[in-house]
């Protein structure tokens, strides 16, 4: 987005509270001074948040945190307080972000290539990888989530470096995943050996990793899997009324028949590259049925209002129906589909939470202190902040 377009967006966002103040001033004349003072403060705050992002300072601060994480010895997942699956997700998100950041800052390319190598090495650590030997194809089983995110990391490394060190492994994983999607029920593979679920959101990552391999190497491995997956999701994998993807396709979970916010935010990000039109349509329907706007901030529901389902590790806390996971991941979904107004509304919410976390952590609250150092949250934000087209 150009500077002029961003300036227009800022004026539009700032006009919301200003318009409200003018309306209230006309109706309640005695409140004029207070209303204009509050509006001025709101516009100033919004401008500072916007400039913090557009100037690159926000991304730079997150880059320094990621750089520190990757440069220190990795001693296991306890070091970062993540599960095995969230560990590989964090590494995948940060790898994409690092590539985009290097494209915007070419002088940092050599150091970022070195960081990507370290990220790949960490992804092979026994605490994260389910395999003793990643080259043993016979042992791969049904670990679709790990293989897909690891494949994204390999493709990200090749995109930036041009180095073919991991090319054969990248190709083997891509061919393996493509064959599994074509042969799988629902054209969706499983994410874990120990779970029979078939989550479309995780398969969106799989397809993106194949698409990235094809773009890097001028091949066509992804074409048929993408076509089959899109056909299934449109005809059988979506709720007829909302046209939103079901969260799980086998029906074995209580939430299976419902579209989930965290899954839709996630899916929009990855679909935006390999199926941009379908991603925009999905995002439009998602906003129509799940988004709630509160002036300069925005949030997304985790479930439709009629669903009575408790929060879980994927949804995070759910407050008045609004999901932390759905809203947080929508930072990437909105940026990737080009919905900059929603992106800045959610970015405002992130900055508000960051401010609260920093204030409370300064008083010794360990829970909030941990939040300010959460490498998964940092990687998700960095990925969104740095997003630029790769091809």
């Amino acid at each position: 987005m150009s500077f002029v377009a961003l300036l227009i967006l800022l004026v539009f966002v700032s006009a919301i509270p200003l318009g409200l103040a003018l309306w209230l001033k006309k109706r309640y004349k005695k409140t004029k001074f207070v209303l204009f003072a509050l509006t001025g403060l709101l516009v100033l705050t919004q401008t500072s948040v916007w400039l913090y992002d557009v100037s690159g300072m926000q991304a730079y601060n997150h880059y320094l945190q990621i750089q520190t994480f990757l440069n220190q010895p990795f001693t296991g997942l306890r070091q970062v307080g993540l599960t095995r699956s969230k560990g590989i997700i964090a590494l995948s998100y940060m790898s994409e972000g690092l590539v985009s950041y290097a494209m915007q800052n070419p002088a940092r390319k050599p150091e970022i290539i070195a960081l990507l190598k370290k990220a790949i090495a960490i992804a092979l650590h026994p605490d994260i990888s389910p395999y003793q030997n990643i080259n043993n194809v016979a042992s791969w089983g049904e670990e679709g989530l790990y293989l897909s995110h690891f494949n994204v990391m390999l493709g990200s490394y090749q995109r930036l470096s041009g180095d073919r060190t991991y090319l054969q492994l990248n190709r083997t994983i891509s061919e393996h995943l493509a064959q599994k999607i074509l042969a799988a029920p629902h054209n969706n593979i499983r994410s874990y050996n120990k779970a029979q679920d078939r989550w479309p959101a995780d398969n969106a990552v799989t397809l993106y990793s194949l698409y990235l391999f094809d773009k890097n190497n001028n091949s066509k491995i992804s074409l048929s899997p993408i076509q089959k997956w899109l056909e299934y999701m449109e005809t059988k994998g979506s709720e007829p009324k909302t046209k939103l993807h079901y969260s799980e396709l086998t029906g074995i979970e209580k939430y299976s028949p419902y579209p989930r916010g965290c899954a839709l935010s996630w899916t929009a990000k990855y679909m935006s590259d390999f199926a941009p039109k379908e991603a925009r349509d999905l995002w439009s329907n998602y906003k129509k049925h799940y988004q709630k706007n509160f002036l300069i901030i925005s949030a997304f529901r985790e479930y439709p209002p009629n669903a009575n389902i408790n929060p879980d590790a994927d949804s995070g806390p759910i407050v008045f129906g609004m999901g932390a996971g759905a809203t947080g991941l929508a930072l990437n979904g909105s940026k990737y589909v080009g919905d900059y107004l929603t992106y800045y509304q959610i970015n405002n919410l992130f900055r508000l939470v960051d401010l609260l976390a920093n204030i409370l952590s300064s008083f010794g609250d360990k829970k909030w202190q941990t939040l300010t150092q959460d490498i998964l949250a940092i990687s998700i934000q960095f990925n969104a902040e740095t997003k630029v087209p790769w091809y």
Side-chain angles (χ1 to χ4, degrees):
M1 176 176 277
S2 68
F3 177 79
V4 173
L6 285 170
L7 187 59
I8 293 172
L9 177 63
L10 174 64
V11 171
F12 176 73
V13 172
S14 300
I16 296 173
L18 183 60
L20 178 63
L22 288 171
W23 178 79
L24 289 171
K25 169 184 173 290
K26 184 177 180 180
R27 188 161 184 173
Y28 306 103
K29 295 183 179 180
K30 293 182 180 179
T31 63
K32 178 172 67 173
F33 176 77
V34 174
L35 287 171
F36 273 94
L38 289 174
T39 301
L41 178 62
L42 193 58
V43 170
L44 182 62
T45 302
Q46 179 63 71
T47 303
S48 64
V49 169
W50 177 77
L51 288 174
Y52 184 50
D53 179 67
V54 174
S55 67
M57 291 178 61
Q58 184 170 293
Y60 177 66
N61 287 335
H62 286 141
Y63 171 70
L64 292 179
Q65 290 176 292
I66 289 171
Q67 184 183 49
T68 299
F69 167 75
L70 292 174
N71 279 330
Q72 64 186 354
F74 183 74
T75 58
L77 284 169
R78 286 187 178 181
Q79 174 184 338
V80 290
L82 296 177
T83 62
R84 184 189 294 268
S85 59
K86 289 186 177 179
I88 190 63
I89 290 169
L91 290 167
S92 173
Y93 267 83
M94 74 171 66
S95 295
E96 287 186 281
L98 286 169
V99 174
S100 293
Y101 195 64
M103 292 172 69
Q104 297 170 63
N105 300 274
R108 294 188 177 275
K109 182 176 176 179
E111 71 183 39
I112 289 177
I113 289 173
L115 291 175
L116 287 170
K117 283 186 175 181
K118 292 180 179 181
I120 291 171
I122 292 173
L124 294 171
H125 188 280
D127 257 21
I128 296 180
S129 174
Y131 311 115
Q132 291 183 340
N133 178 7
I134 188 64
N135 294 298
N136 181 8
V137 179
S139 71
W140 283 356
E142 300 293 339
E143 296 288 344
L145 181 139
Y146 176 85
L147 285 174
S148 299
H149 282 285
F150 186 64
N151 210 34
V152 169
M153 295 177 68
L154 298 181
S156 297
Y157 175 80
Q158 185 187 359
R159 172 62 185 87
L160 182 63
S161 69
D163 184 6
R164 300 167 69 88
T165 300
Y166 305 107
L167 179 58
Q168 187 53 51
L169 179 58
N170 194 187
R171 183 186 300 278
T172 303
I173 294 175
S174 297
E175 291 174 345
H176 172 82
L177 292 174
Q179 291 168 8
K180 288 187 74 67
I181 284 185
L182 291 174
H186 322 291
N187 296 120
N188 278 263
I189 63 174
R190 288 159 50 190
S191 298
Y192 307 102
N193 275 329
K194 296 181 179 180
Q196 296 298 317
D197 306 68
R198 295 180 189 271
W199 291 293
D202 286 345
N203 281 262
V205 185
T206 308
L207 294 169
Y208 169 68
S209 79
L210 307 184
Y211 171 84
L212 179 56
F213 179 86
D214 283 345
K215 296 298 287 185
N216 284 340
N217 299 286
N218 195 28
S219 56
K220 298 181 179 180
I221 293 174
S222 69
L223 293 184
S224 186
I226 289 173
Q227 180 186 0
K228 293 293 184 182
W229 186 82
L230 289 173
E231 286 176 358
Y232 182 87
M233 295 309 299
E234 181 180 359
T235 58
K236 299 179 181 178
S238 298
E239 189 179 58
K241 180 180 178 181
T242 63
K243 298 183 180 179
L244 297 175
H245 295 173
Y246 294 122
S247 56
E248 196 280 323
L249 300 175
T250 69
I252 61 178
E253 305 289 354
K254 185 178 180 181
Y255 57 74
S256 294
Y258 298 106
R260 286 190 68 170
C262 63
L264 294 166
S265 293
W266 172 286
T267 301
K269 170 200 179 307
Y270 289 102
M271 276 184 68
S272 67
D273 278 301
F274 68 80
K277 179 185 181 301
E278 291 83 354
R280 288 191 297 270
D281 291 343
L282 183 71
W283 184 256
S284 177
N285 291 329
Y286 178 36
K287 287 180 64 177
K288 178 180 177 181
H289 295 285
Y290 279 61
Q291 185 185 31
K292 296 294 182 182
N293 288 311
F294 308 94
L295 290 179
I296 61 171
I297 64 173
S298 183
F300 284 80
R301 300 190 63 89
E302 179 61 20
Y303 295 107
N306 62 309
N308 183 24
I309 301 176
N310 294 326
D312 59 20
D314 290 329
S315 70
I318 298 176
V319 181
F320 300 114
M322 302 296 111
T327 302
L329 291 169
L331 187 75
N332 305 82
S334 58
K335 186 69 169 289
Y336 274 66
V337 301
D339 182 0
Y340 285 87
L341 177 57
T342 301
Y343 168 76
Y344 279 108
Q345 286 177 312
I346 298 172
N347 189 49
N348 289 342
L349 187 58
F350 265 88
R351 301 286 69 79
L352 182 62
V353 172
D354 279 348
L355 177 63
L356 179 62
N358 281 296
I359 291 173
L360 293 177
S361 64
S362 68
F363 288 104
D365 188 317
K366 293 184 178 180
K367 180 181 70 174
W368 288 97
Q369 187 175 21
T370 301
L371 180 61
T372 65
Q373 301 167 353
D374 186 327
I375 194 62
L376 176 57
I378 290 167
S379 299
I380 288 171
Q381 293 178 72
F382 182 65
N383 184 294
E385 293 156 0
T386 58
K387 168 62 179 172
V388 291
W390 287 12
Y391 286 98

